[in-house]
Amino acid sequence: MSSIFKSFSTELKFYLLMNTFFSFGTALSGVFQSVFLWKLDKTFSLLAYYSLYWSIAIIICFGLCAWLARKTSPMITMRFGFVFYLITYLIMLIFHDTLSDHIILLGSANGLAMSLYYVGMHMAVLDLTTNEKRDQFLYIQGILLTIGGVVAPLVSGILISQFHGMLGYYIVFIATCIFFFLSFLISLKVKGSPIESKSYFWDVVRSPSREWKKMYSVMFADGIVSGVYTTFLITMIMFEVAGGELSLGIFNTVAEIVSIAAFFVLAKFSNPDYRIAIFAIGAVSILVGSVLLSALPIFISLVIFAIIQPVAMNMINTSMNAMIYASIEKDPLYKERRLDYIIIREIPLGIGRIIGVFLFLGMRKYFAIEQLLPISFSLFPIVYVLMIPVLYLIWKGEGTNHSPKFDER
């Protein structure tokens, strides 16, 4: 991996370092943010509504953030993203016990932060990498981001368990704010690339690439899962089975170590031709692991899931993102239109997230609170498995060009 890393430009290295600090900050609090919100009502409703509000905020804010990126640069929007992530945690620190009364504000701030950050992140990946090397870059980036996550959950779990009440959470949230600020400072070393001020939004809506048009259903389905399953269901079932913050921190540390090993292997053998197969293995694995943990919520099941989950989700997310970027590059005018594709991507993804939340809230009426978590946890990953044949038809079906010629920039 060192030889690959050395081949990266100085700007790309600073970009990776910036995201490593950002990842460490989110790893400190990310796992425990869901637990913190759950402790305020213990019905999962607050978690679901929080996910709903930030999903709606992303749909509203993403276009505005893209406009800001055109007026300034995508890298500047990314810096603003760090600032608003920091503000999100400050809101949690300021309102703490009464946070349930300000959940719309919290969700909106987080949605704006995500919009600002991901506009910059997606554009950076498109501008700093090429299709043939993108899987490798994404896996290497995953290694660096995960390294910070190895220690962070354990440190957070120890801190939270050592203090009475919510004091440990507040200390962890303050530490997260510090790392977000450091990420902002490092981002000043990454200039990024300016983009054309003209928008091609409606041109992309009317005449996108063939692959992109077919990826709408995949992005929508991905949103259904990410709105609930990856947002808080994974954390909450691991917290419930593990039996506390410290145990949850230990299991997440183990999961991150496994994740690093998986990234090393996947980076070594990464190839665009393997994307669908890698996605399929990840999708089936995460479903099997989820059903096992739901049916047998015991220690050994948690250990198995802690091993499966990081590997499977890395396989799913990296392959999915690589295919989305590739479908953008299929457009002959993608250099001019790439930001508009990124904006439009959030529409089916955001709608899917919202529907996923409503499906979860609807399930509350039919299942008791003690049944809701395991049942929903085993049902939502089925969507990933259903996506496999759709992806195969898009990228391997009849009439698909198996060896596209991409601009190497």
Side-chain angles (χ1 to χ4, degrees), residues 217-218 220-222 224-225 276 279-280 282-284 286-287 316 320 379-394:
S217 60
V218 175
F220 170 76
D222 185 37
I224 291 176
V225 188
I276 295 174
F279 180 92
V284 173
I286 199 68
L287 176 60
I316 290 170
M320 171 73 67
L379 288 178
F380 276 95
I382 294 174
V383 177
Y384 282 138
V385 177
L386 296 177
M387 291 161 65
I388 297 171
V390 179
L391 286 169
Y392 182 85
L393 291 174
I394 294 173

Side-chain angles (χ1 to χ4, degrees), residues 55-261:
S55 298
I56 294 173
I58 287 177
I59 294 179
I60 296 172
C61 296
F62 220 86
L64 297 175
C65 295
W67 173 85
L68 177 63
R70 292 187 190 282
K71 293 297 183 182
T72 55
S73 76
M75 196 61 235
I76 289 179
T77 65
M78 202 170 185
R79 290 184 193 125
F80 278 121
F82 294 140
V83 173
F84 274 92
Y85 270 117
L86 191 153
I87 290 173
T88 298
Y89 280 93
L90 288 178
I91 290 172
M92 297 179 72
L93 287 166
I94 292 170
F95 294 109
H96 47 91
D97 293 339
T98 62
L99 193 59
S100 57
D101 297 328
H102 303 87
I103 200 66
I104 295 178
L105 174 63
L106 181 68
S108 300
N110 191 56
L112 177 57
M114 294 174 71
S115 300
L116 289 163
Y117 174 79
Y118 282 105
V119 163
M121 186 275 287
H122 287 307
M123 293 300 292
V125 173
L126 280 170
D127 290 342
L128 297 174
T129 63
T130 61
N131 180 67
E132 293 302 318
K133 297 293 184 180
R134 188 164 294 130
D135 300 75
Q136 194 175 61
F137 167 79
L138 290 173
Y139 285 126
I140 291 173
Q141 176 178 252
I143 292 171
L144 295 175
L145 300 187
T146 306
I147 288 174
V150 170
V151 180
L154 181 58
V155 172
S156 297
I158 292 173
L159 282 173
I160 292 171
S161 63
Q162 292 298 311
F163 291 93
H164 178 70
M166 295 294 198
L167 179 58
Y169 284 94
Y170 304 147
I171 293 172
V172 168
F173 293 161
I174 291 172
T176 293
C177 291
I178 293 172
F179 277 96
F180 287 162
F181 180 69
L182 291 174
S183 300
F184 173 82
L185 293 180
I186 297 172
S187 73
L188 299 176
K189 293 287 187 178
V190 185
K191 293 182 180 179
S193 302
I195 56 176
E196 188 173 340
S197 59
K198 181 181 178 181
S199 172
Y200 295 88
F201 182 88
W202 293 113
D203 292 334
V204 173
V205 170
R206 288 190 292 265
S207 57
S209 68
R210 185 188 71 86
E211 288 77 10
W212 178 266
K213 187 180 295 185
K214 294 184 177 182
M215 286 291 284
Y216 282 136
S217 60
V218 175
M219 291 183 280
F220 170 76
D222 185 37
I224 291 176
V225 188
S226 65
V228 177
Y229 181 79
T230 57
T231 302
F232 61 85
L233 286 183
I234 292 177
T235 297
M236 291 312 305
I237 198 163
M238 291 185 73
F239 173 77
E240 186 172 280
V241 178
E245 287 87 354
L246 179 57
S247 298
L248 179 61
I250 293 172
F251 275 105
N252 272 275
T253 295
V254 173
E256 296 293 346
I257 293 173
V258 173
S259 186
I260 292 173

Side-chain angles (χ1 to χ4, degrees), residues 8 42 105 119 199 203 266 285 299 375 397:
F8 292 161
K42 296 189 177 181
L105 174 63
V119 163
S199 172
D203 292 334
L266 292 169
S285 298
F299 178 79
I375 291 176

Side-chain angles (χ1 to χ4, degrees), residues 38 41-46 360 364 369 372:
W38 172 77
D41 74 340
K42 296 189 177 181
T43 66
F44 301 108
S45 297
L46 194 63
F360 178 79
R364 292 186 313 165
I369 190 67
L372 179 61

